[in-house]
Amino acid sequence: MADDFLTQSDRDVQRLVEDLEDVIRSPLDSESSMSVKQENILDGFGSSDQFINQMLSSSTPSELPDLGAELPDLGMETDLKPNINPLNSSGSSNNNNNNRKDQNAFSPTSHHSAETNQGPIYQDQEESYPFAGTWNKVRDFLESNIQLFQGIYGSQFPIQFVQIRSHFADPLEKQRWHLIDPDDYGPPEENIAMEIVHNLLKAMQRRCEETMEVDQKLLFYNLGTWFQNVYGNNPMELVRMVKKVLSVEQMIIQNASQQPNASSESKVTQESVTNRHAEITSQCEQCMKITQETENQLQKVCRLQEYMMITRSHLEVYSKLAESGQLSQEQRQQWQSEAAKHQEYENNLVTLRKEIIKNHEKIINIMQELHGQVVYTETRSLERSQAAAYNGAPQYSTLEQLEQWYQSLATIIWKSLRQLVHLEGQPIPIRDGQNPLPNMKSSYVSFLGSLVERGLVIEKQPPQVLMKDKRFVGTLRHLVGDKLDIHKVAFQVRAHLVSDENARRILAKGEFIGSGKIVNHTVMTEYHEHSRILQANFRNMTLRDKGRGDRRGTESVAEEKFAIVFQADIVVRSPACEFTVTAQTLSLPVVVISHGKQEANAAATIFWDNAFSEDQRVPYQVPERVSWGRFMEAVDFKWQSECRTKVGLKQRARDYLASKIFGRAVPDGQDFCWRQLNRDNIPGHNFTFWQWLYSVLELTKSRYIQPHWNQTTIEGFISKSECQSLLLSKGPGTFMLRFSDSKLGGISTAYVAKNDDGSIEVKHLEPDSLKILQVRSLADMVKDFSQLVKLFPDRPKHDAFSKFYTSKPVQDGPYVKKTLVAHIEES
């Protein structure tokens, strides 16, 4: 009976978690040898005694020990040999994989066409692979924070995937992950994903062939075989897993890199969030420990009940013997001993039941606060993090961390309910004349209901600037995953556009009226078994009509905010009862536009809302005024994020931007309001400050300007008068590139020219827009202009721009190639 209480699945999960904890903690004790549990979990992957140390250190072929002897061929291009089996994370043979019909052990040609069989494509430009170098950057941080390592990799990814992440970090990062959305893709993205699978298989095969150490060769062989079996015919699942881990690692790097330069307010915020998260994790572990203790107590209860059944049967025999007068003196003594033993069992049973009730009281007391922190505070914090991410600001909350907490709570509540159900029908200590079990069950069911209700969150927000009649996507995830069995039956998720007034009604749990018609507004959930993610993917939504909003006073169409509400009716079959929960969540605010001319103004509304909205606000109210320093910090985050650069806005740029608003440089405490951003025109111009800044941002993030900004060859934010003053201090031929004050989205070239009379003056070329740069690149035009010699202050132009020159066209066919060349029309 005791063995029946814990299911086999529970035992497997418990054992795997314990094994993984041992593996992760092993490098903390450099002298400790591999435990039996470590050997079990690494069986089939090599017998290293420092698994995490290997992961957190370079593992290139040149560093692997050379045994000086060739190993037998492992059959890279043939069927698996019977004595070498790829093992899954529990150490058992992977017999349930659908791809077993073709067992070519990571043979690159087995599942791919010839046109993709070109090997890895590695380029020198870092811009081509935005995730390159991620592992090297995050490794040192993880070495000093083993709990963070365990939180990221310990429970969310298979052991084999974690090993591939470390051993093949470079080829894994140098792939085009950023071009693929696993929830919204077509044939071109599928081809890229298949190419990535092929590239990684080639890297594993090459590593296996190059290493001479037996355990390492077997490790790489088994990893490659596992990789092909799992991802060979399912490349999008690989994309989903890799992007999941890379997003978390990128956030760690971002927050770590911004710490030294962060404002004191940001440092305090990050420190408080870190402490809060550590406290939540600690409370989850405490509840899990008590729950496990109660599990053990219940097993003891079961054993005691079994013993009592045995002693009761013995006592019945002795009693019948006594009634018939056949009880001997020796048997009478045995009867008394058996009766005492039975009474002892009964007393122990009562004590254990009391302890179990006390443990559940402890769990519920901790849950009262912990549950609210996770389900409400941290879920709202995730929404704020997503808003911050739109502006490129640091994120302090991650979906993966929140999901881990949700699933921990779900596991605790589920087990606790099962324990209480097991206690039903047994004599329970009465408190104040009442049985405590019903109230406890009611508390757990309430926790469970809100966990399911609030666990539906938006993983990928719909575009916040939403164009009518244009396709858009969104992805939701239910954070309890497979912990409550709700994944076993797909449920429908519905999407509706609502005004901010209706958003307020939704938060008050009232009825709402949709404000428009969304085509393809319902989908069924999908469960991804390998990553254990429960998702709802809206891949083909279209807004046909936005209806009437709640525009007020002087608000323009581009200032009118809506939201998309997602709803689902979810059936929960808990150990205690079955009930239905209506889960719903609101998107970040969206602005609906009908043509491209409204895009810049709509982007201003979203930027201001995401940057300056407050927690627990009334939808969708934002402050009318903020400090200039806070505004510039938000602009700098947005700039670096959109332009994919680490070259932010220097003090000269900030002073220049202030002069466009205030006519002078201002302190950080100066008030700055929404009207100054995007209602009032810049003095002397027919556009607002935001419209000018947005056009410059669109120009700089384009592939025609972004590389030059990264190379700091563009001064950009400098006034015409200051530019002239600086250039006049230099000789003829010195030039500077700056953003045009008068032409939206234009970049202007100013240079020092020598007149016929020997005097010098600064001349300004007509600003170039994206349309011009698409015809002739900026670097080529700089090369064309003989009047430009040195980039300010004294850098030869060829040193600064030659790497971006267009190569000479190669003649192809009977025609002679021609090239457009720019020149300056001098009067």
Side-chain angles (χ1 to χ4, degrees), residues 360 363 413 416-417 420 440-448:
H360 279 289
I363 294 173
I413 296 169
S416 298
L417 274 173
L420 294 184
M440 288 182 173
K441 283 173 60 178
S442 177
S443 296
Y444 283 129
V445 169
S446 176
F447 290 148
L448 201 62

Side-chain angles (χ1 to χ4, degrees), residues 40-63:
N40 290 339
I41 201 168
L42 294 177
D43 186 22
F45 307 118
S47 55
S48 168
D49 61 350
Q50 292 184 348
F51 169 59
I52 302 298
N53 284 342
Q54 283 186 357
M55 293 181 55
L56 297 176
S57 62
S58 177
S59 52
T60 58
S62 60
E63 295 174 339

Side-chain angles (χ1 to χ4, degrees), residues 4-52:
D4 292 339
F5 184 72
L6 285 176
T7 65
Q8 185 61 40
S9 175
D10 288 332
R11 295 191 194 94
D12 291 343
V13 171
Q14 180 180 338
R15 180 180 60 80
L16 187 58
V17 169
E18 292 173 352
D19 291 347
L20 186 56
E21 288 176 350
D22 286 344
V23 171
I24 288 174
R25 293 192 174 102
S26 62
L28 296 179
D29 182 7
S30 59
E31 297 179 359
S32 62
S33 60
M34 178 179 287
S35 66
V36 174
K37 289 182 177 180
Q38 289 170 307
E39 292 173 354
N40 290 339
I41 201 168
L42 294 177
D43 186 22
F45 307 118
S47 55
S48 168
D49 61 350
Q50 292 184 348
F51 169 59
I52 302 298

Side-chain angles (χ1 to χ4, degrees), residues 46 88 174 236 292 315:
N88 58 21
K174 289 185 176 178
M236 284 302 165
Q292 186 57 48
L315 292 176

Side-chain angles (χ1 to χ4, degrees), residues 377-530:
T377 305
E378 293 305 325
T379 303
R380 282 196 299 262
S381 179
L382 174 68
E383 295 167 0
R384 290 296 309 133
S385 256
Q386 291 176 329
Y390 178 90
N391 287 355
Q395 302 178 61
Y396 301 114
S397 298
T398 67
L399 188 65
E400 286 69 28
Q401 175 67 82
L402 188 62
E403 183 179 51
Q404 190 176 359
W405 289 331
Y406 262 82
Q407 294 186 4
S408 293
L409 291 182
T411 301
I412 293 166
I413 296 169
W414 194 265
K415 287 186 175 182
S416 298
L417 274 173
R418 195 174 59 194
Q419 291 169 4
L420 294 184
V421 169
H422 182 78
L423 285 175
E424 286 182 334
Q426 299 187 20
I428 297 298
I430 301 300
R431 297 283 182 85
D432 300 326
Q434 291 185 343
N435 185 340
L437 288 186
N439 287 336
M440 288 182 173
K441 283 173 60 178
S442 177
S443 296
Y444 283 129
V445 169
S446 176
F447 290 148
L448 201 62
S450 59
L451 204 65
V452 174
E453 180 184 350
R454 296 282 296 175
L456 185 67
V457 300
I458 302 175
E459 179 176 354
K460 181 190 300 173
Q461 291 281 345
Q464 290 189 263
V465 177
L466 197 57
M467 179 81 75
K468 282 176 59 180
D469 299 320
K470 185 177 180 181
R471 172 181 169 272
F472 67 97
V473 301
T475 302
L476 286 89
R477 184 190 298 189
H478 205 294
L479 298 180
V480 300
D482 58 356
K483 298 304 178 185
L484 302 181
D485 291 343
I486 63 174
H487 68 291
K488 291 182 177 179
V489 179
F491 51 87
Q492 186 187 73
V493 183
R494 310 174 294 277
H496 303 279
L497 183 76
V498 295
S499 64
D500 57 356
E501 174 63 31
N502 279 286
R504 288 192 283 274
R505 292 178 184 173
I506 291 170
L507 291 181
K509 299 189 181 301
E511 297 294 327
F512 69 90
I513 302 173
S515 299
K517 181 181 179 181
I518 297 178
V519 180
N520 300 321
H521 72 290
T522 62
V523 297
M524 301 301 291
T525 54
E526 306 167 2
Y527 177 65
H528 304 282
E529 186 173 358
H530 184 61

Side-chain angles (χ1 to χ4, degrees), residues 75-78 102 104-120 194-206 209 224 227-228 232:
M76 295 301 176
E77 304 292 342
T78 61
D102 191 339
N104 291 344
F106 62 103
S107 169
T109 59
S110 58
H111 293 294
H112 306 283
S113 62
E115 61 189 52
T116 62
N117 188 15
Q118 301 172 355
M194 290 299 289
E195 179 184 300
I196 289 175
V197 171
H198 165 79
N199 290 346
L200 293 177
L201 286 171
K202 286 286 288 184
M204 294 178 198
Q205 181 184 11
R206 186 167 54 250
E209 291 171 349
F227 183 88
Q228 178 159 309

